Amino acid sequence: MAIFLNNESKVIVQGMTGSEGRKHTQRMLTSGTNIVGGVTPG
């Protein structure tokens, strides 16, 4: 399976409130990723 993203893609992050998720989400925001929300696993 392939996932194709472009500069208009919207991203939802799973587990972004945890320490690792927060770190990676910040990196994505810094690089310009369009993050629209987050969800909790489970």
Side-chain angles (χ1 to χ4, degrees):
M1 176 174 71
I3 299 173
F4 296 102
L5 299 173
N6 62 27
N7 61 346
E8 296 179 13
S9 298
K10 297 175 182 165
V11 176
I12 295 178
V13 179
Q14 179 176 335
M16 69 187 285
T17 57
S19 62
E20 286 297 313
R22 188 176 313 123
K23 178 175 63 175
H24 291 293
T25 301
Q26 185 58 48
R27 287 181 180 175
M28 289 188 282
L29 287 170
T30 301
S31 67
T33 303
N34 186 15
I35 297 176
V36 296
V39 296
T40 301

